[in-house]
Amino acid sequence: QAQLVESGGGLVQAGESLRLSCADTRRTFSGSPLAWFRQAPGKEREFVGLITYDGINTLYADDVKGRFTISRDRAKNTVDLQMTNLKPDDTGVYYCAGDLYGGGLNTRARTWGQGTQVTVSS
């Protein structure tokens, strides 16, 4: 089984909300931060946000700040991405990622989930 498994993607209209979940299936990252990335067709994969190991602090990219919220549930070993007021530009494959390096808004990752598709129509 993959270490990180995303779920919750789908098709929504602009302005609607969607909640994604990332399962840390083997608790590999229970003591480490986890991040969300996304990749739109024809574009580079980009950082969306991260949450610290204890779930206390978060960091978001400018274009999602105020609309997206990352939370962590240690009991369920999941990290969720609550997305509100979705826009067509939010369309892409969303990935949960661990083994982070770089730091801040330049965060990169070495371990990836399989991704889940989010499509936002006009």
Side-chain angles (χ1 to χ4, degrees), residues 1 3 7-8 16 20 38 55 68 99:
Q1 185 180 16
Q3 296 184 30
S7 61
E16 295 182 343
L20 308 182
R38 66 186 182 186
F68 291 11
D99 195 12

Side-chain angles (χ1 to χ4, degrees), residues 16-70:
E16 295 182 343
S17 299
L18 199 62
R19 188 178 187 91
L20 308 182
S21 183
C22 171
D24 179 12
T25 62
R26 299 196 292 274
R27 302 182 183 182
T28 303
F29 304 100
S30 61
S32 303
L34 285 169
W36 285 93
F37 292 77
R38 66 186 182 186
Q39 187 167 20
K43 295 186 177 181
E44 298 287 336
R45 191 169 300 183
E46 66 175 342
F47 173 78
V48 173
L50 63 79
I51 188 165
T52 55
Y53 76 98
D54 54 8
I56 294 176
N57 294 312
T58 54
L59 176 69
Y60 302 97
D62 288 344
D63 57 352
V64 307
K65 190 174 184 179
R67 298 188 298 120
F68 291 11
T69 302
I70 300 174

Side-chain angles (χ1 to χ4, degrees), residues 30-119:
S30 61
S32 303
L34 285 169
W36 285 93
F37 292 77
R38 66 186 182 186
Q39 187 167 20
K43 295 186 177 181
E44 298 287 336
R45 191 169 300 183
E46 66 175 342
F47 173 78
V48 173
L50 63 79
I51 188 165
T52 55
Y53 76 98
D54 54 8
I56 294 176
N57 294 312
T58 54
L59 176 69
Y60 302 97
D62 288 344
D63 57 352
V64 307
K65 190 174 184 179
R67 298 188 298 120
F68 291 11
T69 302
I70 300 174
S71 60
R72 193 162 194 164
D73 188 330
R74 293 204 300 168
K76 297 193 296 185
N77 300 310
T78 62
V79 172
D80 293 345
L81 178 64
Q82 175 66 240
M83 305 182 292
T84 63
N85 192 25
L86 283 162
K87 308 176 185 300
D89 285 347
D90 294 319
T91 292
V93 179
Y94 282 68
Y95 299 90
C96 182
D99 195 12
L100 308 181
Y101 66 98
L105 298 176
N106 294 316
T107 291
R108 303 291 186 268
R110 296 184 176 91
T111 301
W112 302 87
Q114 84 287 353
T116 185
Q117 176 71 43
V118 173
T119 303

